[in-house]
C-alpha cells in the first residue's frame, strides 16, 4: 500500500511540526538550564526523560522545575512560550504554568529487560520476550488506570489555574501497534474519556509517534518532526533506530545520564528458537 493510500483517511487531522534543529536544541537546552542532578533523577524506565525532551521541543521552552521532591514531574512556564498552538498542546489558553505528570503503561517488558541485562552480565543468553500486536486505540485504552492515577496526583499537586497535562508513555515491546509504520495515526484514535482534572493528554507510542488530545478542542493533534527546507535531510541514524531514539541518545549523552534506557535500542533480524531447533 502506498503512503498516499495509507494517509488518505488522515485528511483533516491536526498536526504540529517542528524541525530537526528544534529537537536538537531541546537535547542541548535541557542540560544547559536544568541542574544535572535533577535530570539524573528522571526515571528512565518510565520514560520521564523522553517526556522532558519531547515537551521541551514542542513547547519551545525548558521546564522551570523537574520533580525531585514529590511534586509534579515537569513544570513549564508557558507564559514564556511564543507557540500559537498552546490550546492544542495544553488544552488551555491564558495560563502562566503547565504541570505535566508522566506515566508509563504497565507491561512485562521492563522486567524482561532488567532480567536480560542480568543474564548478559552473567554470560548467559537472555530469554525471549513475546508480544502481541494491537491497534493504537488499544494502547490508549490500556492507559486508563494510569490516567486515573495521574489525574489524582494532578488534583493533589497542581491547581485549577494551571494547565494540567498527563504524558503517557507506551513501550513498543509491551504493545506493538499495527499503525507503527504509518506516517500519521491521530486520525485512527477515538476520543478518550478523561477525568475533569486533565486538560490535555500526550501519548508517546515509543519509538515513533506522538499525539496530543486537547480537552478544550476535543480533538487529537499529531506532533511531527521534519525539515521545512526543500533539500532538508534527516540526521543519520545508527543501529536501525528510529529518529526520536537518535535524539534520545543525544540527550542522554549531553545530560551525562549513563542509563540504561529501555527505550534506546536497535532492531535486527535473527532466528527464532523454533527455527534453530528445526535445523
Amino acid at each position: 500500500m502506498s503512503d498516499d493510500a495509507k494517509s488518505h483517511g488522515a485528511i483533516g487531522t491536526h498536526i504540529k511540526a517542528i524541525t530537526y534543529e528544534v529537537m536538537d536544541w531541546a537535547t542541548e537546552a535541557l542540560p544547559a538550564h536544568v541542574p544535572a542532578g535533577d535530570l539524573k533523577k528522571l526515571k528512565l524506565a518510565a520514560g520521564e526523560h523522553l517526556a522532558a525532551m519531547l515537551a521541551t521541543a514542542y513547547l519551545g521552552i525548558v521546564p522551570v522545575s523537574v520533580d525531585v521532591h514529590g511534586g509534579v514531574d515537569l513544570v513549564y512556564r508557558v507564559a514564556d512560550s511564543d507557540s500559537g498552538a498552546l490550546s492544542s498542546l495544553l488544552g488551555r489558553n491564558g495560563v502562566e504554568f503547565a504541570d505535566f505528570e508522566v506515566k508509563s503503561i504497565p507491561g512485562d517488558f521492563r522486567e524482561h529487560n532488567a532480567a536480560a541485562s542480568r543474564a548478559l552480565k552473567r554470560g548467559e543468553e537472555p530469554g525471549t520476550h513475546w508480544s502481541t500486536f494491537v491497534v493504537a486505540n488499544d494502547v490508549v485504552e490500556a492507559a486508563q488506570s494510569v490516567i486515573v492515577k495521574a489525574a489524582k496526583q494532578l488534583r493533589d499537586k497542581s491547581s485549577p489555574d494551571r494547565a494540567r497535562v498527563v504524558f503517557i508513555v507506551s513501550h513498543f515491546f509491551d504493545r506493538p501497534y499495527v499503525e507503527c509504520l504509518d506516517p500519521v495515526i491521530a486520525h485512527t484514535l477515538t476520543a478518550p474519556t478523561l477525568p475533569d482534572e486533565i486538560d490535555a493528554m500526550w501519548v508517546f507510542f515509543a519509538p515513533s509517534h506522538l499525539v496530543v488530545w486537547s480537552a478544550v478542542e476535543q480533538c487529537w493533534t499529531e506532533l511531527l518532526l521534519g525539515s521545512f527546507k526543500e533539500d532538508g535531510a534527516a540526521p543519520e541514524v545508527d543501529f536501525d533506530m528510529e529518529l526520536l531514539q537518535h535524539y534520545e541518545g543525544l540527550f542522554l549523552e549531553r545530560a551525562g545520564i549513563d542509563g540504561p534506557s529501555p527505550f534506546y535500542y536497535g532492531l535486527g533480524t535473527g532466528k527464532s528458537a523454533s527455527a534453530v531447533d528445526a535445523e
Side-chain angles (χ1 to χ4, degrees):
M1 182 182 293
S2 69
D3 286 345
D4 287 342
K6 287 190 293 184
S7 300
H8 182 72
I11 293 174
T13 298
H14 292 188
I15 66 169
K16 174 179 172 59
I18 62 172
T19 65
Y20 304 127
E21 291 80 7
V22 172
M23 187 63 73
D24 188 72
W25 163 83
T27 68
E28 288 188 333
L30 278 164
H33 293 88
V34 179
D38 291 356
L39 289 180
K40 290 180 179 180
K41 291 182 180 178
L42 292 171
K43 299 173 183 175
L44 299 186
E48 289 184 353
H49 63 301
L50 295 170
M53 181 184 77
L54 294 169
T56 295
Y58 284 96
L59 292 175
I61 50 177
V62 295
V64 295
S65 71
V66 173
D67 176 41
V68 293
H69 299 299
V72 292
D73 291 326
L74 300 165
V75 178
Y76 289 87
R77 189 176 185 278
V78 294
D80 294 335
S81 174
D82 59 1
S83 172
L86 289 184
S87 63
S88 61
L89 295 177
L90 304 175
R92 295 279 294 276
N93 278 317
V95 293
E96 186 174 3
F97 292 96
D99 293 343
F100 280 68
E101 193 68 28
V102 184
K103 297 293 179 189
S104 61
I105 307 176
D108 295 333
F109 179 71
R110 188 181 304 180
E111 176 53 36
H112 168 80
N113 188 57
S117 296
R118 293 192 294 268
L120 289 171
K121 287 181 180 178
R122 295 192 299 266
E124 301 172 359
E125 286 292 323
T128 301
H129 176 75
W130 296 95
S131 298
T132 301
F133 271 88
V134 298
V135 296
N137 264 314
D138 289 344
V139 176
V140 178
E141 181 63 29
Q144 287 304 310
S145 63
V146 292
I147 291 172
V148 171
K149 183 176 181 180
K152 180 182 184 306
Q153 291 176 319
L154 287 168
R155 183 175 64 246
D156 295 341
K157 301 175 185 178
S158 184
S159 59
D161 62 334
R162 297 179 173 222
R164 295 184 287 193
V165 184
V166 58
F167 195 115
I168 301 297
V169 180
S170 175
H171 199 291
F172 184 76
F173 290 159
D174 278 324
R175 290 172 184 83
Y177 54 106
V178 296
E179 303 92 339
C180 61
L181 298 180
D182 293 351
V184 292
I185 65 170
H187 63 290
T188 71
L189 301 173
T190 57
T193 301
L194 297 182
D196 292 339
E197 293 84 359
I198 296 178
D199 296 305
M201 177 173 68
W202 296 41
V203 184
F204 180 42
F205 297 79
S208 53
H209 285 94
L210 179 62
V211 297
V212 182
W213 172 264
S214 166
V216 68
E217 295 188 355
Q218 286 291 294
C219 70
W220 289 100
T221 296
E222 187 98 21
L223 302 188
L224 301 179
L225 178 64
S227 175
F228 300 154
K229 301 176 183 177
E230 186 174 345
D231 59 347
E236 292 187 7
V237 178
D238 296 328
F239 309 116
D240 295 318
M241 290 185 173
E242 294 289 325
L243 189 55
L244 288 177
Q245 291 177 302
H246 163 77
Y247 287 109
E248 177 190 8
L250 282 181
F251 174 42
L252 293 174
E253 179 182 352
R254 290 169 174 174
I257 300 174
D258 295 331
S261 164
F263 299 92
Y264 192 65
Y265 59 84
L267 293 177
T269 58
K271 296 179 179 178
S272 67
S274 58
V276 172
D277 292 342
E279 291 180 354

